[in-house]
Amino acid sequence: MANSSPMKQPRRFRRNTLWLALMAAPLAHAQPVSLDPIQVTADREADADTVVDAETIERFQADDLEDVFAGQPDVSVGGSNSIAQKVYVRGFEDPLLNVSVDGATQAGALFHHSGRLSVEPELLKQVEVNAGAGRATEGAGALGGSIRFVTKDPDDLLRPGESAGALVKFGSFSNTDGYKASGTAFGRLSDNWSTLVSVSQSDHEPFKDGSGDRIAGSDARQQLGFAKLVGQLPADQTIKLSHEVRTDEGERPQRPQWVVSSFNRLYELDGRRDTTTLNYGYAPAGNALVDLEATVYHTESDIEQNVEDRWGRYFGFSRNIGGDLRNTSRFGEHSLTYGVDYREDKVNAGYQEDKRAEQQIGEVLGVYLQGDLWLTSRLLFSAGARYDDYRLKDNDDQRFSEDEVSPNANLAWEVVDGLTLKAGYAEAFRGPTTQDAFKLEGSENDPNLEGEKARNTEVGFDYRYETFRLSAEVYRSEIKDAIADPLLPFRESIYKNIGDLESDGYLISAGYQWQALSAGLSFHSNDAEVDGQPLTVYEHNLLGNTMGDTWIADLAYRWDRNLEFGWQGRFVEGIDNLDTSVGTIDKPGYGVHDLFLQWLPTGNEDLRLSLTIKNVGDKQYLAHASNADYQHIEDYEGIVGMPEPGRDIRVGLVMRF
């Protein structure tokens, strides 16, 4: 057992009391207050680098995270098994990002060989992605950026003048002999209150890869329940309360990232996430100095694996409790956003006899300020800073305390009509946090563990002329003193500062709309390294991965108001002779084509038929975001990720009442 760190113990009672006081202060005023949920309001324009909207998600009948981000060249998803999917932004894995669902931060990891994010695409209004350390409002620990999942409100489904409605959806999947069924009811309880309730279930058998082979351990059974209540209170107040329960069950390899092998046999592996979120706001008409937003959330996630012929059932638990309180004051065209956020993370793990035997508890308190100042009618200067104070008590009773200030500054200059030049610099900080639940028992923290510090620099431009758009940016991101438990040498499981992560690259995107035809083309190139060594998910789990240059092309044509069809292609260039600490590996390139068609037989949304063909060419390939193929290296047989599914014909039916 490691020696205790000399750091001061966190004064939890005093910090929590301070947090509650800060949250309660604005509500104590005599005048009522109103706002939309933080980070995820339907009424404000999304402040994000990339936005994936509901229309895009529905076009291809998205069923998982890989489908959601299929059209984003700088976002990759690895792990064809639903419970093993990991998201990478500019090569950095999602634990290095601040990820939230309706403002509820999804922090911590349960099992390093599985993913930590789960969403239901049908519920999403949009997904906002900010790549690289950015604005102070992105939240604590946003070393590699942020992802914000925004769910639909009742008003997003209700038609003008409508008081109630329902959606019934059914989809079939040819590859997995699977189905997905859902029902959603929504309506107004009164002039000021509305609600939405949705349930869904899906069942998939193991899929076939492009060679026609069934991939053992890729089956899944998922269930979801979601409810949201929205109220428009007197004096320009808004309140939203939502609760979501999502389960995922199936027989998966012991390490879901890899294929089934003699040392990676099939076992039951089930996961669950429960999230409750309360959003409150106050934006009084005629008062530009007050636009208050507040969010309080509680998220619990768990995973259970039954290694029946060895140690039996093992459990991992993660709990996140926290909130954010912010206000935006506007002074003419200028604005200033300031606030405080807090989060407590708790991770447990154990066997059937004592499911929570191992435990780590961490917390972070942040204060931030972000301003947008128009120096001229064409020149916008944005600057801000946040202060974060991290505390951690690990399972060896070591205590860590780290704090830091993270500044940022950005310029956007419209040189001529339609052409805007951009440049920015930002820092982010993350102190020692809770670690992977399934590693708590056999791992420890280096007593000298220090926080991680990110620096992100980027320059670029946006150009728009009528229906044509062109944008490009070059970036460099660095995370100093990255924390991980190195894979090698074997049997060492000590979380320590392993070195500096670097992600360099550029992104180019173009689009054009000509009458009923729309077209897009984008390209992303990235190099992700740690101390000069390429990042690979096998050696640098929870940190990052190396992807080949990626092209995304798409075409869509609206025949008339009732019929639309289109195509999307994702092309990833191969990487040869990628050096790793255990040998040289290759990542073959691939190109995948998807088609979609949507038809409204009755001329309105009361009935919609959808046809989607994923991987039209039945391509056999291993995604670059998955675990690479090490099997040609002696003693590494079986170390390879699952291949991607072959051709999948999806037929969807949506009825609206």
Side-chain angles (χ1 to χ4, degrees), residues 17 32 36 73 89 156 159 162 185 187 234 254 291 358 360 456 466 468 489 500 510-511 522 544 560 622:
T17 302
D36 292 319
V89 178
D156 296 321
R159 295 167 177 168
E162 194 174 50
Q254 183 182 349
D291 186 353
E358 306 293 334
Q360 288 188 352
N456 182 64
E466 296 181 348
F468 174 76
D500 299 338
S522 54
D560 56 30
L622 177 63

Side-chain angles (χ1 to χ4, degrees), residues 11 44 84 100 123 163 167 175 231 240 255 321 348 355 447 454 477 482 501 535 594 612 616 628:
R11 297 181 180 177
R44 71 172 180 83
S100 62
L123 291 176
S163 60
L167 285 173
N175 190 306
K240 298 185 182 184
R255 303 163 185 85
I321 299 176
N348 294 90
K355 299 177 182 179
S477 297
L501 299 184
L535 284 174
D594 301 330
T612 301
V616 174

